[in-house]
């Protein structure tokens, strides 16, 4: 049995922060709101502390991936990398607080994912394209500066997770390296069977990367590739099922979760 509290477009930081910055979100259901839902559900799963401890000992908590939308919406409303880099501690802090609360509520096994190489998705490649060749990684075609921001986020998150492990030695707090598990796909897509390429969306409204903000995937005028399994990028914002398959295998079998999952 599993329960998923995720909401499309949700942020790690509370919506009020973005409202104060005149940034419009898709939803107000931030990570803090989702934690509230978990607390409300908890009473239906177990009642006494002993019962809850036993129940959650056998449970795996996947905390995210969360935080990407904090960056996405900020970028869409004109913020720059230089402006967002100082926000990383606040975004990571919201994630760390959520993990801490879950441990206090009885969680013992928690997987906390880092960010994907979002500088590789067709939304970013379209909206932030550059005439400067040096802006792109020659091995992948991804935007270097944006991926550098997400690597900085990941390194900061790993540093803060280590502090949590020291604070809660009884809990198994695992870092899921989504970036590491996926970047090789962008470097050698054909090796993994992605003959449609890594950077062009399967479903979209045209343009160099088949992404168009006026015609999103599924809207009139958009097109869908014949074989999604040949593509890494599904709709400009999400990967295909085939790409996620390789990412999942990297996490479960490839050493991209630290410490590793126990079965």
């Amino acid at each position: 049995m599993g329960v998923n509290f995720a909401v499309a477009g949700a942020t790690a930081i509370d919506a009020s922060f973005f409202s104060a910055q005149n940034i419009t979100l898709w939803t107000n259901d931030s990570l803090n709101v989702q934690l509230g839902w978990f607390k409300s559900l908890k009473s239906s799963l177990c009642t006494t502390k002993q019962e809850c401890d036993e129940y959650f000992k056998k449970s795996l908590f996947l905390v995210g991936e969360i935080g990407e939308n904090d960056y996405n919406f900020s970028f869409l409303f004109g913020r720059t990398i230089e402006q967002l880099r100082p926000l990383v501690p606040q975004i990571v802090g919201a994630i760390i607080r959520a993990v801490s609360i879950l441990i206090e509520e009885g969680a013992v096994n928690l997987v906390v994912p880092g960010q994907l190489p979002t500088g590789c998705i067709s939304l970013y490649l379209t909206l932030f394209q550059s005439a400067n060749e040096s802006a792109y990684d020659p091995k992948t075609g991804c935007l270097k500066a944006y991926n550098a921001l997400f690597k900085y986020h990941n390194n900061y998150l790993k540093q803060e997770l280590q502090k949590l492990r020291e604070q809660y030695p009884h809990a198994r707090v695992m870092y899921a390296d989504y970036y590491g598990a996926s970047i090789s796909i962008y470097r050698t897509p054909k090796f993994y069977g992605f003959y449609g390429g890594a950077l062009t969306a399967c479903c979209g409204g045209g343009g160099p990367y088949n992404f168009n903000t006026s015609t999103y995937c599924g809207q009139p005028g958009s097109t869908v590739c014949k074989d999604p399994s040949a593509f890494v990028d599904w709709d400009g914002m999400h990967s295909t099922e085939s790409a996620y398959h390789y990412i999942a295998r990297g996490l479960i079998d490839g050493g991209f979760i630290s410490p590793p999952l126990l079965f």
Side-chain angles (χ1 to χ4, degrees):
M1 184 183 77
V3 182
N4 188 349
F5 299 103
V7 178
T11 53
I13 300 173
D14 286 346
S16 57
F17 169 83
F18 296 97
S19 178
Q21 306 292 320
N22 295 315
I23 294 172
T24 304
L25 305 178
W26 289 354
T27 177
N28 292 331
D29 297 322
S30 66
L31 183 55
N32 205 35
V33 173
Q34 295 168 37
L35 276 173
W37 295 338
F38 164 73
K39 290 178 181 178
S40 297
L41 178 74
K42 184 180 175 183
S43 61
S44 68
L45 300 174
C46 54
T47 49
T48 66
K49 183 181 185 304
Q50 183 179 356
E51 187 183 359
C52 289
D53 287 348
E54 286 300 314
Y55 188 91
F56 291 135
K57 235 184 248 183
K58 298 178 286 186
S59 303
L60 178 65
F61 289 76
L62 180 60
V63 189
E65 173 265 340
I66 186 79
E68 182 181 323
N69 287 318
D70 299 65
Y71 301 105
N72 290 345
F73 286 109
S74 297
F75 280 133
L76 290 173
F77 278 81
R79 304 306 188 269
T80 65
I81 293 173
E82 291 72 24
Q83 288 172 318
L84 289 188
R85 191 176 171 88
L87 193 62
V88 170
Q90 190 172 343
I91 295 171
V92 170
I95 298 168
I96 294 298
R97 280 192 298 276
V99 177
S100 178
I101 289 168
L102 288 170
I103 295 173
E104 294 285 351
E105 291 285 338
V108 177
N109 299 293
L110 307 99
V111 173
V112 187
Q115 299 297 318
L116 290 154
T118 307
C120 299
I121 66 173
S122 60
L123 181 151
Y124 274 62
L125 290 164
T126 300
L127 296 183
F128 310 122
Q129 57 188 297
S130 173
N132 188 348
E133 282 187 24
S134 66
Y136 298 89
D137 183 340
K139 294 180 181 178
T140 61
C142 305
L143 289 162
K144 290 193 294 187
Y146 289 89
N147 275 353
L149 174 67
F150 292 110
K151 283 195 279 189
Y152 172 58
H153 169 104
N154 291 343
N155 287 331
Y156 198 94
L157 177 62
K158 284 189 282 186
Q159 170 188 306
E160 295 303 302
L161 288 176
Q162 182 54 36
K163 293 177 185 177
L164 267 190
R165 294 185 188 108
E166 294 166 6
Q167 185 179 351
Y168 299 103
H170 72 284
R172 188 174 178 82
V173 181
M174 295 162 274
Y175 172 72
D177 183 7
Y178 280 21
Y179 193 106
S182 59
I183 195 64
S184 60
I185 297 173
Y186 291 100
R187 288 175 181 148
T188 56
K190 289 182 180 178
F191 175 81
Y192 295 92
F194 295 112
Y195 290 95
L199 306 180
T200 302
C202 166
C203 180
Y209 301 98
N210 197 30
F211 181 84
N212 191 326
T213 54
S214 63
T215 310
Y216 290 107
C217 173
Q219 292 184 334
S222 66
T223 58
V224 183
C225 65
K226 290 182 180 178
D227 183 9
S229 68
F231 286 73
V232 174
D233 192 313
W234 164 240
D235 62 354
M237 294 174 276
H238 306 91
S239 298
T240 59
E241 186 175 341
S242 296
Y244 280 128
H245 167 82
Y246 284 108
I247 294 170
R249 295 287 7 142
L251 295 170
I252 296 168
D253 300 326
F256 287 103
I257 289 186
S258 178
L261 286 166
L262 296 177
F263 297 99

